[in-house]
Amino acid sequence: MDINRVKQILSSSADIEVKYQGESIWIDKLNEDGTTVTVNLRGPLEEQTTVPISELVEE
């Protein structure tokens, strides 16, 4: 994925399916470095982590 698509997803009101390493995630915010995002893993724990934009996959 690229930074422009991340910005589109963040500004959209739609529920867009995005995965990180095969896990469904919710993009929380674009980080200041422009190469990573803070995400929440979907599921019972809703763990928050920082991941590289390049490793996100839109389903």
Side-chain angles (χ1 to χ4, degrees), residues 23-26 39-49:
E23 297 292 325
S24 184
I25 56 100
W26 180 262
V39 302
N40 287 305
L41 301 178
R42 293 186 188 206
L45 298 179
E46 294 188 11
E47 178 185 347
Q48 191 173 62
T49 189

Side-chain angles (χ1 to χ4, degrees), residues 13-57:
S13 62
D15 186 11
I16 299 168
E17 180 77 16
V18 178
K19 292 193 174 183
Y20 170 70
Q21 295 183 343
E23 297 292 325
S24 184
I25 56 100
W26 180 262
I27 301 173
D28 194 37
K29 70 175 183 175
L30 176 63
N31 296 324
E32 290 182 16
D33 65 12
T35 62
T36 62
V37 290
T38 300
V39 302
N40 287 305
L41 301 178
R42 293 186 188 206
L45 298 179
E46 294 188 11
E47 178 185 347
Q48 191 173 62
T49 189
T50 300
V51 301
I53 292 171
S54 61
E55 295 186 27
L56 298 178
V57 177

